[in-house]
Amino acid sequence: MTIQNTWGWLVAVYLFLGGLGAGAFVAVAVISLATGERFKSTVRFGAWASAIAIGVGTLCLLIDVGKPLRALVLFRSFVHFGSWMTIGAWLLFGAILFDGLFALFWTEPVLQWVGARWKFPVEQRKAFRVILAVLGIFINLGVAVYTGVLLGAPQFRPFWHTWWLPALFTASALDTGVGLVTGYATLGERSEKAYALRNVLEGCIIVLILIEASVLYLYLSHMLKASPDAVRSAELLTSGALRVPFWLVVVGLGLAVPLIVCVTQLGGLLRKRAAVVVPLIGLVSCLIGGWTLRYLVLSAGLPQMLASPALEQILQGVKFIP
Amino acid sequence: MAKQYGFWIEIDRCVECYACEVACKAEHNVDLGIKWRRVTNVWSGSFPNVTFKTISLSCMHCEKPACEAVCPTGAIKKQPDTGAVTVDQTKCIGCHYCFFACPFGVPQYGKSGAMEKCNLCVERLAKGQEPKCVSTCPGNALHFGTMEELSKMAQEKAAKKLAASTQPSVIVSK
Ligand code: SF4
Ligand code: SF4
């Protein structure tokens, strides 16, 4: 066995969508706190996108297991709170409800419907929006961090058992989430000040990509200096079997292309002539890179060799794994 | 402390007959391709001085089972009376998290999707019998008992307890 394949592409979809949704929520929550109602269609889009992305992601995790029907009954299947998977399942469930509720508070027809029956929630909507936004930022950051902690908890997968992983996944979550919101702001936001919003978001993406690239660099260089098993894993990405998708897709499409797109957009170089196509390319490329990052980190999570110094001579090289 | 049963494996007595593996499969009616007990050849040295040893391993019924810690459903339990680590397959959802947690890659998944592994033959223990693999081994290479009994028995044989942070209940001697 050269790569890890017990958890495959569907779990990668889960980790990716969980991060994407969390990042999008944080982006629009901050926008709503900073600008009030000015960009309400962008806020509404991001809130719905985040609830749906986290929902679909959670579904991917649940149907990937051996007994999906049993897993779907959360309150029967996720009951051992010592497990990170249990904590995560409930955190995600909470985030779906929470992000959905926030989205409802930004959806006019819903507000009208509610307003016709109960005055209070609609009259106080400003306060509700602020409270939900602030709490939601914490919950969704929790979701983003958690996607890395899930992999990091098992001790005998040295490539995952590190705080660099949640850091990397969180950076990528914010990067892809802000990317998605920027995509909407570019293509769908009709507010007069949309260009200003876009400029700010593009600036944020540049900073986030630089952060993500640095975290990725530090993570891998840390792993390349760690235990032999961690080195084997890291080398799979940098120079081994997974090097082509790693350099081409994760680094190329996921980081370099969106960076170039944002820089050219901000510089005003291409805005007029290719107002839609170029940002769209940047967005798609960033999303593909985000999923591939999860998939490759999963694939490279090799087990630690049976570690038993006292018995090394007897068991030398035993891998009790088929 | 509650009792902790485990295995002592005498490598020099193993004749590589696979009787333990087969007896286990028959006893527990295990799906094709899944092995609760596995006989493994361990090669060492480099050409031309290559030797190999044969060792029969199963779940180590760790004192601190990493699989139990990560299981979201609480399907994995450490039995207080025997120290056996068992799976309740009706509770298990087959999420594979235990596979990643176990340092020995023990958890496997059969047709039902649920995790399965050695259960220390708890049904046989309840009747006062030894696990099937141990009672089947023709070479007396596999021993069963509480960890204290086993370490006393193994004293003369330069035996060592398998070391890992989960504290496996397995002693091995050359
Ligand atoms: S050997 Fe693995 S499956 Fe068995 S008790 Fe220890 S951690 Fe659990
Ligand atoms: S596969 Fe089953 S036994 Fe293993 S951690 Fe998941 S629910 Fe628990």
Side-chain angles (χ1 to χ4, degrees):
Chain A
M1 187 175 70
T2 49
I3 63 168
Q4 185 288 116
N5 55 10
T6 301
W7 274 354
W9 67 272
L10 213 51
V11 175
V13 172
Y14 156 66
L15 299 174
F16 166 66
L17 287 180
L20 177 71
F25 185 93
V26 172
V28 294
V30 172
I31 293 174
S32 77
L33 289 174
T35 64
E37 294 228 335
R38 182 169 297 156
F39 303 111
K40 51 173 183 260
S41 89
T42 299
V43 173
R44 186 174 57 234
F45 165 81
W48 282 118
S50 117
I52 292 168
I54 298 179
V56 174
T58 308
L59 221 54
C60 286
L61 174 76
L62 295 181
I63 60 176
D64 189 54
V65 305
K67 296 203 293 187
L69 288 180
R70 172 144 192 127
L72 284 167
V73 192
L74 289 192
F75 60 88
R76 260 174 65 201
S77 45
F78 293 92
V79 292
H80 178 219
F81 279 87
S83 162
W84 274 107
M85 194 180 276
T86 304
I87 298 172
W90 288 109
L91 183 65
L92 285 149
F93 185 63
I96 297 167
L97 295 183
F98 204 89
D99 296 2
L101 188 66
F102 182 75
L104 289 177
F105 266 96
W106 283 89
T107 308
E108 278 312 323
V110 175
L111 285 177
Q112 278 164 16
W113 187 86
V114 174
R117 286 159 183 79
W118 306 281
K119 289 273 172 295
F120 173 71
V122 178
E123 279 167 4
Q124 299 299 318
R125 81 181 100 170
K126 264 206 190 115
F128 274 114
R129 283 171 175 174
V130 170
I131 296 169
L132 289 176
V134 172
L135 286 178
I137 288 175
F138 287 103
I139 294 178
N140 283 274
L141 280 178
V143 169
V145 174
Y146 161 74
T147 57
V149 174
L150 175 73
L151 298 188
Q155 191 191 339
F156 301 99
R157 298 273 158 164
F159 191 56
W160 298 343
H161 189 60
T162 160
W163 282 103
W164 285 111
L165 192 60
L168 177 64
F169 281 5
T170 307
S172 166
L174 293 174
D175 177 15
T176 49
V178 175
L180 184 69
V181 172
T182 311
Y184 182 86
T186 307
L187 307 173
E189 177 63 57
R190 297 274 171 267
S191 156
E192 280 167 36
K193 286 273 169 57
Y195 73 91
L197 176 65
R198 231 153 59 199
N199 284 349
V200 172
L201 287 173
E202 275 157 2
C204 289
I205 295 180
I206 293 177
V207 173
L208 287 170
I209 288 178
L210 294 178
I211 293 177
E212 186 185 340
S214 321
V215 174
L216 181 63
Y217 172 79
L218 290 169
Y219 169 46
L220 288 177
S221 50
H222 180 75
M223 285 294 140
L224 285 168
K225 286 200 268 334
S227 71
D229 302 294
V231 173
R232 276 191 314 135
S233 290
E235 280 178 351
L236 273 178
L237 298 185
T238 55
S239 53
L242 304 171
R243 69 183 186 284
V244 175
F246 176 74
W247 290 110
L248 226 60
V249 183
V250 174
V251 178
L253 291 184
L255 297 170
V257 171
L259 184 69
I260 294 168
V261 167
C262 286
V263 170
T264 51
Q265 289 287 300
L266 264 186
L269 294 177
L270 288 166
R271 180 149 284 164
K272 289 224 178 59
R273 253 184 290 146
V276 175
V277 178
V278 173
L280 209 59
I281 291 174
L283 171 60
V284 171
S285 152
C286 149
L287 297 183
I288 293 175
W291 175 80
T292 311
L293 172 72
R294 273 42 167 220
Y295 183 68
L296 294 186
V297 166
L298 275 174
S299 304
L302 302 177
Q304 195 169 341
M305 294 286 194
L306 187 56
S308 182
L311 278 162
E312 230 158 64
Q313 273 139 349
I314 302 173
L315 293 173
Q316 210 173 43
V318 168
K319 257 177 77 196
F320 194 49
I321 291 168
Chain B
M1 201 192 92
K3 269 191 209 155
Q4 172 68 59
Y5 285 96
F7 297 103
W8 167 28
I9 298 137
E10 281 187 90
I11 288 186
D12 58 356
R13 283 176 171 248
C14 174
V15 294
E16 209 190 332
C17 68
Y18 291 84
C20 51
E21 213 184 272
V22 175
C24 172
K25 285 196 76 126
E27 172 75 15
H28 299 285
N29 201 5
V30 178
D31 283 350
L32 213 65
I34 290 185
K35 292 171 180 175
W36 289 12
R37 178 166 282 286
R38 265 189 275 218
V39 177
T40 319
N41 287 331
V42 182
W43 296 86
S44 57
S46 54
F47 183 81
N49 301 314
V50 190
T51 56
F52 78 86
K53 300 213 156 81
T54 306
I55 184 167
S56 163
L57 292 171
S58 69
C59 169
M60 321 280 170
H61 299 281
C62 304
E63 276 175 46
K64 294 183 183 155
C67 53
E68 181 197 29
V70 302
C71 174
T73 62
I76 303 176
K77 279 272 159 344
K78 187 156 181 68
Q79 304 298 334
D81 46 344
T82 55
V85 176
T86 57
V87 202
D88 180 343
Q89 298 207 339
T90 60
K91 280 192 188 164
C92 168
I93 55 170
C95 68
H96 298 83
Y97 210 19
C98 47
F99 170 77
F100 292 107
C102 170
F104 307 102
V106 165
Q108 296 168 69
Y109 307 85
K111 278 201 213 94
S112 72
M115 190 272 259
E116 51 180 274
K117 65 171 193 65
C118 162
N119 68 351
L120 211 67
C121 281
V122 278
E123 350 43 58
R124 286 173 60 88
L125 297 191
K127 288 186 260 168
Q129 294 165 322
E130 289 191 316
K132 194 72 180 182
C133 52
V134 174
S135 64
T136 307
C137 176
N140 260 348
L142 284 176
H143 306 270
F144 177 78
T146 65
M147 290 315 281
E148 293 99 73
E149 288 165 8
L150 290 176
S151 36
K152 257 188 226 133
M153 281 158 64
Q155 236 162 24
E156 283 142 43
K157 295 244 347 189
K160 299 222 167 76
K161 199 166 172 257
L162 218 57
S165 59
T166 58
Q167 301 182 11
S169 307
V170 168
I171 296 173
V172 181
S173 61
K174 284 195 217 182

